[in-house]
């Protein structure tokens, strides 16, 4: 029987949408090319005993009454899918030559810490942080579904947000004339965006920075449990999640998408799937090319003209007989740079493929929850993340596999040299397992074109009101993806919930 909703792809926004629709009594069928559901949120196991999440490290908007919590409550999952909060006194720990800043949850405390470090700039720092707060409040009011009364109640906040429509983070740093070191410490979360301050949308930075200040979280039972819980919510209500099914074509007649053709990657048989409504969770640009871009309206084609985000290098490592808590790690992430200027750091690594002075993030998932082990008792998992250029790695992998593997090892060694010098002496001696991933790994295992980490690049051009949303101009066909909403865990949950709300009329989000 034809399902009410045929969903192409099982990324987080698709799973949220599918779970909410199944919960409301609709029939749902999901097709996923990978062997695991969850897109960037999927978990994989190595050596039969170490589990790693592909890309997610920490999340926000999971507190009581916030987006993730509202969705989980609607599904009856809020007691089973819970989150551990990072240290509010320093959830992100920023480290650079001569400076160390722990980012606290309270904006006033952040102002005080920066003012002690840069005493001659305390007034500028206060004005900058206040502007961030005001802009964030304005963005929340402007987020769909917009409530006109809220616009009228908070004109100053709305105006503050609107004035930065085309601004990069660097533009606003320059406006308030913050000292270079203060800029770098504040922007050292840049690996959450894979863009430097002179390219990153101020809106994107504000949303994420304030989101984490309101609460940075990690799932009590790791991300695998979160993904599986959404899948179970679909399957327990009669829905299907079919893995290893790669969509090869869309069926379109009279501006109406009726279904898809998909190959079962285990049998290599092609089957046709139909649905009353088709939800597209795969990359919108890729889908539009498959369907034929000429079938879309000019307005949608214009919105589909986005650049992909940069990609990344990941190192998943396991250490034994070493407690990272003894070396300054815990319920927080650590970001390190050897550069005073993050714009230069980005250029060196991304444009020149030079990792001799790396900027990178460190996360320690084993230390974030006691509820369930992600490795044996005598081990801990530590992960390293930095930016990497897809074209460079693609060319290396295709032309010289040995050179490709050497480059990955070179980046890891460069990072480990810094770790052993500044954080954990003899780290390598305790390392019992490691695996590295490049931009081409992202493309192969997360099915993202050009290895992109966030869909469209988070520049002002891609982050404004002209950003792609669920509307496709085709009948019974909607986008539901990081590029047609916003990337990251909480924003993709919001994207799936917002589309559910619009198609069902069931208001679960409220404003913001």
């Amino acid at each position: 029987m034809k399902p009410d909703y045929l969903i192409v792809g099982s990324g987080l926004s698709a799973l949220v949408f599918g779970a909410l629709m199944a919960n409301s009594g609709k029939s749902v069928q999901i097709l996923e090319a990978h062997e695991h559901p969850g897109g960037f949120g999927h978990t994989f196991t190595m050596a039969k005993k170490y589990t790693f999440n592909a890309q997610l490290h920490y999340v926000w908007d999971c507190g009581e009454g916030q987006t993730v919590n509202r969705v989980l409550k609607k599904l009856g999952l809020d007691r089973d899918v819970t989150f551990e909060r990072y240290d509010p006194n320093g959830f992100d720990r920023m480290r650079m030559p001569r400076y160390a800043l722990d980012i606290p949850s309270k904006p006033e405390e952040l102002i005080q810490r920066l003012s002690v470090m840069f005493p001659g700039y305390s007034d500028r720092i206060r004005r900058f942080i206040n502007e961030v707060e005001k802009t964030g409040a304005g963005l929340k009011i402007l987020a769909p579904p917009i409530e006109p009364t809220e616009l009228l109640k908070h004109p100053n906040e709305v105006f503050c947000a609107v004035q930065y429509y085309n601004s990069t983070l660097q533009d606003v740093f320059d406006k308030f004339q913050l000292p270079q070191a203060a800029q770098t410490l504040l922007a050292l979360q840049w690996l959450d965006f894979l863009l430097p301050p002179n390219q990153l949308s101020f809106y994107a930075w504000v949303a994420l920075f304030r989101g984490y200040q309101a609460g940075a979280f990690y799932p009590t039972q790791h991300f695998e449990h979160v993904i599986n819980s959404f899948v179970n919510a679909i399957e327990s209500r009669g829905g299907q999640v079919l893995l290893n099914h790669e969509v090869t074509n869309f069926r379109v007649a009279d501006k109406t998408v009726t279904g898809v053709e998909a190959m079962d990657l285990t049998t290599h048989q092609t089957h046709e799937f139909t649905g009353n409504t088709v939800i597209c969770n795969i990359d919108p640009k890729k889908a539009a090319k498959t369907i034929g871009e000429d079938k879309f309206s000019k307005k949608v084609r214009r919105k589909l003209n986005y650049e992909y985000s940069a990609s990344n290098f990941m190192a998943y490592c396991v250490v034994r007989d070493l407690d990272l808590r003894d070396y300054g790690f815990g319920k927080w992430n650590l970001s390190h740079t050897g550069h005073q200027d993050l714009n230069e750091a980005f250029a060196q690594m991304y444009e020149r493929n030079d990792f001799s002075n790396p900027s990178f993030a460190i996360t320690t998932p084993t230390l974030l929850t006691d509820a369930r082990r992600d490795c044996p008792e005598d081990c801990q998992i530590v992960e390293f993340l930095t930016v990497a250029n897809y074209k460079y790695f693609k060319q290396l992998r295709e032309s010289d596999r040995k050179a490709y593997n050497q480059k990955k090892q070179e980046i890891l060694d460069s990072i480990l040299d810094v770790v052993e010098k500044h954080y954990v002496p003899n780290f390598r001696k305790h390392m019992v397992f490691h695996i590295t991933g490049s931009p081409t790994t992202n493309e192969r295992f997360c099915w993202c074109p050009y290895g992109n980490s966030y869909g469209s690049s988070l520049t002002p051009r891609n982050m404004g009101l002209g950003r792609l949303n669920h509307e496709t101009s085709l009948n019974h066909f909607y986008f539901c993806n990081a590029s047609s909403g916003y990337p990251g865990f909480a924003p993709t949950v919001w994207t799936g919930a917002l589309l559910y709300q619009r198609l069902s009329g069931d208001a679960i989000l409220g404003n913001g």
Side-chain angles (χ1 to χ4, degrees):
M1 200 169 119
K2 188 194 287 190
D4 295 314
Y5 292 96
L6 175 65
I7 303 173
V8 180
S10 73
L12 191 57
S13 58
L15 291 177
V16 167
F17 174 86
L20 289 168
M21 277 300 179
N23 185 62
S24 74
K26 300 294 184 184
S27 54
V28 170
Q29 187 177 49
I30 295 182
L31 305 177
E32 169 58 53
H34 204 308
E35 62 185 302
H36 301 290
F40 273 121
H42 83 264
T43 295
F44 60 96
T45 302
M46 300 300 296
K48 297 183 180 176
K49 54 186 174 180
Y50 310 126
T51 62
F52 305 101
N53 184 267
Q55 293 284 310
L56 299 177
H57 305 292
Y58 63 158
V59 296
W60 47 284
D61 225 8
C62 298
E64 181 69 31
Q66 294 183 316
T67 300
V68 176
N69 179 253
R70 287 187 188 200
V71 168
L72 292 172
K73 274 189 174 165
K74 183 74 180 177
L75 296 170
L77 293 172
D78 55 304
R79 292 191 177 175
D80 183 48
V81 179
T82 56
F83 296 85
E84 306 296 308
R85 188 163 178 186
Y86 273 52
D87 184 356
N89 197 43
F91 57 88
D92 265 324
R93 310 221 161 173
M94 313 307 206
R95 302 292 183 261
M96 62 181 286
R98 298 187 299 128
Y99 294 98
L101 173 68
D102 297 348
I103 305 285
S105 285
K106 293 179 180 173
E108 184 58 38
E109 179 61 31
L110 176 60
I111 291 168
Q112 294 304 324
R113 289 181 188 183
L114 284 168
S115 296
V116 168
M117 295 169 79
F118 306 99
Y121 295 90
S122 55
D123 182 54
R124 293 178 193 177
I125 288 164
R126 179 172 294 280
R127 286 191 293 115
F128 173 79
I129 299 297
N130 288 344
E131 195 83 340
V132 169
E133 291 299 299
K134 212 162 154 189
T135 302
L139 288 176
K140 207 160 189 180
I141 294 161
L142 290 167
I146 294 174
E147 295 172 14
T149 53
E150 290 296 305
L151 294 175
L152 296 171
K153 270 194 229 167
H154 304 280
N156 291 340
E157 289 85 348
V158 171
F159 175 75
C160 185
V162 168
Q163 72 174 317
Y164 293 117
Y165 182 72
N166 291 314
S167 299
T168 63
L169 175 56
Q170 190 64 56
D171 291 334
V172 187
F173 280 156
D174 292 345
K175 175 181 175 180
F176 288 90
Q177 297 181 301
L178 296 188
Q180 182 62 60
Q183 294 179 29
T184 300
L185 291 167
L186 283 165
L188 207 44
Q189 273 171 327
W190 74 282
L191 291 161
D192 290 331
F193 308 97
L194 300 173
L195 274 185
N198 63 6
Q199 296 179 45
L200 175 63
S201 158
F202 182 58
Y203 283 179
W205 182 82
V206 166
L208 187 135
F209 192 83
R210 291 183 80 250
Y212 281 134
Q213 278 197 307
F217 297 91
Y218 185 83
T220 306
Q221 299 183 67
H222 301 284
F223 285 105
E224 185 174 32
H225 179 67
V226 180
I227 297 299
N228 288 344
S229 297
F230 286 123
V231 171
N232 291 339
I234 294 165
E235 293 181 338
S236 65
R237 293 168 174 88
Q240 277 188 311
V241 180
L242 300 178
L243 303 176
N244 296 300
H245 278 71
E246 182 181 2
V247 169
T248 53
N249 206 3
F250 288 84
R251 290 282 187 191
V252 188
D254 299 325
K255 293 213 163 218
T256 301
V257 178
T258 59
V260 300
E261 289 174 12
M263 181 190 287
D264 183 331
L265 298 177
T266 54
T267 65
H268 299 288
Q269 299 274 312
T270 297
H271 304 278
E272 192 163 322
F273 296 85
T274 58
N276 293 325
T277 300
V278 178
I279 306 296
C280 181
N281 175 242
I282 65 175
D283 177 67
K285 270 174 99 159
K286 186 177 178 181
K289 280 195 171 73
T290 305
I291 291 167
E293 290 167 336
D294 58 311
K295 291 186 171 66
F296 294 84
S297 69
K298 279 185 182 174
K299 182 182 176 183
V300 172
R301 287 205 303 270
R302 195 163 56 246
K303 291 183 177 185
L304 282 164
N305 186 30
Y306 53 80
E307 311 93 14
Y308 287 116
S309 86
S311 191
N312 61 282
F313 168 90
M314 278 287 305
Y316 309 90
C317 303
V318 182
V319 290
R320 184 187 290 149
D321 300 327
L322 176 72
D323 191 341
L324 291 163
R325 285 170 290 206
D326 295 338
Y327 296 89
F329 294 92
K331 285 183 177 283
W332 49 81
N333 290 338
L334 189 146
S335 296
H336 172 95
T337 184
H339 287 265
Q340 288 287 336
D341 182 347
L342 292 179
N343 298 316
E344 173 52 32
F346 178 87
Q348 183 176 339
M349 293 188 294
Y350 188 75
E351 293 164 19
R352 301 196 287 276
N353 308 300
D354 176 359
F355 292 84
S356 58
N357 184 12
S359 295
F360 57 94
I362 310 174
T363 184
T364 50
T366 314
L367 304 184
L368 301 175
T369 175
D370 298 321
R372 187 171 143 208
R373 295 291 299 181
D374 50 4
C375 60
E377 286 288 339
D378 60 347
C379 296
Q380 291 177 8
I381 285 174
V382 56
E383 298 172 355
F384 303 102
L385 166 75
T386 191
V387 73
N389 187 303
Y390 170 80
K391 286 182 182 174
Y392 173 78
F393 276 92
K394 174 86 167 168
Q395 189 178 0
L396 259 190
R397 190 170 186 273
E398 289 179 350
S399 62
D400 187 342
R401 183 62 71 91
K402 188 179 174 188
Y404 167 78
N405 289 328
Q406 282 175 341
K407 187 66 180 181
K408 287 201 297 177
Q409 187 62 43
E410 174 202 311
I411 297 171
L412 177 59
D413 282 335
S414 188
I415 288 171
L416 294 182
D417 286 347
V418 173
V419 170
E420 291 191 334
K421 182 178 178 183
H422 295 284
Y423 303 106
V424 187
N426 299 318
F427 181 92
R428 285 180 175 90
K429 286 184 182 173
H430 294 275
M431 201 162 71
V432 292
F433 178 87
H434 76 273
I435 185 171
T436 55
S438 81
T440 57
T441 316
N442 275 2
E443 187 172 51
R444 283 181 295 132
F445 290 103
C446 297
W447 294 77
C448 50
Y450 302 100
N452 77 78
S453 296
Y454 292 118
S456 55
S457 183
L458 301 175
T459 58
R461 177 184 179 272
N462 289 332
M463 286 296 292
L465 298 174
R467 185 177 172 85
L468 189 70
N469 59 21
H470 64 279
E471 294 164 354
T472 68
S473 77
L474 299 179
N475 301 321
H476 308 305
F477 183 62
Y478 298 92
F479 292 133
C480 184
N481 170 275
S483 296
S484 59
Y486 293 96
F489 179 86
T492 47
V493 170
W494 177 84
T495 297
L498 184 65
L499 182 56
Y500 162 77
Q501 182 168 299
R502 285 180 171 164
L503 296 186
S504 69
D506 177 16
I508 62 170
L509 288 177
N511 181 260

